[in-house]
Amino acid sequence: RRPPRSTLFPYTTLFRSIIKHIVRFLTASGALAFVATSLHAAQNDRAANYPNKPIRFIVPFSPGAGTDVTARTIAQKLSEKWGHQVVADNRTGASGAIGVDYAAKATPDGYTICLISASNSVNSATNPSLPYDLVKDLQGISQATSLFYVVYIHPSVPAKSGKELVAYAKANPGKLNFGSSGSNTLQHFAGELFNHMAGVKMVHVPYKGTAAVIPAMLSGEVQVGFGSLIGTRSQMQAGRLRGIAITAAKRSPSIDLPTVAESGVPGYEVDQWYGVITSSIVPQPIVRKLNAAIVEALQQPDVATRLAADGSTPIGSSPEQLNAHIKSEMAKWKTLVKEANLRLDK
């Protein structure tokens, strides 16, 4: 026997409501799928025609620096490949933050890319007031190179090796000064990591840029430095500075020096890497096209030869690998600040 209509009414209403919601969901899902498919197709079309005009390659550091040389080397190869100029644009200041901020806020169409260094990961790890988030507002395209620092000392320091430097610094706490390109830079943190891992107390003296450190070293104002090979080689060859180790994980064919880890500080490593990034909103098909072209450029023998003058080794990673590397580096420097109880200048 059929139940009265009044008894069925609540169930009928509920059933109709459920059906209505299902229809709406399916309609919306179909619309979203259509939009997603259309957007993906549009992005692929843009990537197929990319590039069709010049590309701006932001260099957040000074002309002539290792970042500048690397960016211009890559830019030349990309220009040759695509027939459109890739123009290096030096936008310096705030430990590289000004150039990175420009790239983060540029039109996200792939026509603005930026070469950062490990110093930018230090800056992001220690400066919460930056106008961008290096992880959220930007994305990796490819790690360009791996680059060591040379640990060099003034000839007045009675040390001929890393082990002798550690022994002298331990016996004379606070007597040695180490210079850097500025507070909260990679050179600063290379020295602080050395202090922390070697158990010594060298005093940090910041300068306004790398170019100011060498004259200070030559005058004896500071006795220890961490610098690129391109910036120190001529002074070491002339005997005005003494190189004692490199900060890489393993020895380099670019210079006959042991690593810091071999020289009394096991586990020590500082890599002044360079990486190409862009806005996090740039479509993935364009990022992939940039990645393929940059990796191809870095594999050219003449590129490897040119970059070797700075002690650089071409890498050519995937976007995902660079993104993971940036996060790992930021975590490393945050840990150092905490464990060494560093007081940072803002």
Side-chain angles (χ1 to χ4, degrees):
R1 181 184 176 186
R2 183 179 181 182
R5 182 178 177 82
S6 59
T7 305
L8 288 172
F9 179 74
Y11 301 100
T12 304
T13 303
L14 177 62
F15 179 75
R16 287 176 177 171
S17 177
I18 292 172
I19 293 298
K20 187 183 293 184
H21 279 86
I22 291 173
V23 170
R24 285 178 179 173
F25 173 77
L26 292 174
T27 301
S29 298
L32 289 174
F34 175 77
V35 171
T37 301
S38 299
L39 180 60
H40 184 69
Q43 290 179 349
N44 283 334
D45 286 343
R46 274 189 288 170
N49 296 321
Y50 175 91
N52 54 26
K53 62 180 181 179
I55 297 171
R56 188 186 301 272
F57 199 167
I58 302 297
V59 185
F61 301 99
S62 302
T67 44
D68 186 62
V69 172
T70 301
R72 292 178 188 278
T73 300
I74 295 172
Q76 179 183 346
K77 290 298 182 181
L78 296 184
S79 298
E80 292 171 358
K81 177 180 177 63
W82 284 327
H84 291 284
Q85 284 297 309
V86 179
V87 183
D89 183 359
N90 297 88
R91 300 213 172 215
T92 64
S95 299
I98 290 177
V100 177
D101 187 47
Y102 183 91
K105 294 178 171 59
T107 303
D109 55 6
Y111 288 93
T112 301
I113 60 178
C114 179
L115 187 77
I116 62 170
S117 76
S119 289
N120 293 104
S121 67
V122 173
N123 204 10
S124 290
T126 60
N127 187 356
S129 62
L130 287 175
Y132 58 85
D133 186 309
L134 190 59
V135 173
K136 295 180 181 179
D137 298 330
L138 295 125
Q139 61 177 317
I141 298 174
S142 178
Q143 181 177 341
T145 63
S146 175
L147 171 66
F148 59 81
Y149 277 146
V150 176
V151 183
Y152 58 95
I153 60 177
H154 190 272
S156 64
V157 179
K160 299 291 179 64
S161 67
K163 290 182 179 179
E164 291 181 3
L165 175 62
V166 171
Y168 182 79
K170 284 184 175 180
N172 298 274
K175 185 174 181 178
L176 293 177
N177 297 332
F178 77 91
S180 82
S181 55
S183 295
N184 308 345
T185 61
L186 188 68
Q187 288 184 0
H188 173 197
F189 273 49
E192 296 293 3
L193 185 64
F194 188 91
N195 274 342
H196 181 60
M197 296 185 69
V200 300
K201 292 183 180 179
M202 300 188 299
V203 179
H204 174 230
V205 181
Y207 292 90
K208 292 183 178 180
T210 302
V213 180
I214 298 296
M217 173 73 75
L218 295 175
S219 70
E221 194 171 290
V222 291
Q223 297 78 41
V224 182
F226 299 79
S228 67
L229 182 58
I230 198 171
T232 58
R233 190 195 293 271
S234 63
Q235 301 294 343
M236 291 189 294
Q237 289 175 338
R240 289 187 284 268
L241 297 175
R242 181 185 302 137
I244 58 171
I246 62 172
T247 65
K250 59 182 181 180
R251 296 194 184 202
S252 169
S254 299
I255 188 169
D256 185 22
L257 286 175
T259 67
V260 175
E262 293 177 278
S263 306
V265 191
Y268 182 96
E269 179 188 2
V270 174
D271 184 1
Q272 168 63 323
W273 52 268
Y274 301 152
V276 186
I277 62 171
T278 190
S279 164
S280 61
I281 314 174
V282 173
Q284 282 301 298
I286 291 178
V287 171
R288 298 291 170 187
K289 194 166 187 178
L290 277 163
N291 172 265
I294 290 170
V295 170
E296 180 183 319
L298 291 168
Q299 292 173 344
Q300 302 303 310
D302 60 321
V303 170
T305 299
R306 185 175 181 184
L307 297 181
D310 193 23
S312 294
T313 301
I315 299 297
S317 71
S318 70
E320 293 80 10
Q321 287 171 328
L322 178 54
N323 289 332
H325 187 59
I326 290 171
K327 292 178 182 178
S328 173
E329 287 283 281
M330 289 175 62
K332 173 180 178 175
W333 301 124
K334 285 181 180 179
T335 299
L336 175 64
V337 171
K338 183 178 180 180
E339 292 184 351
N341 194 27
L342 298 182
R343 297 181 62 183
L344 304 177
D345 299 326
K346 300 301 181 186

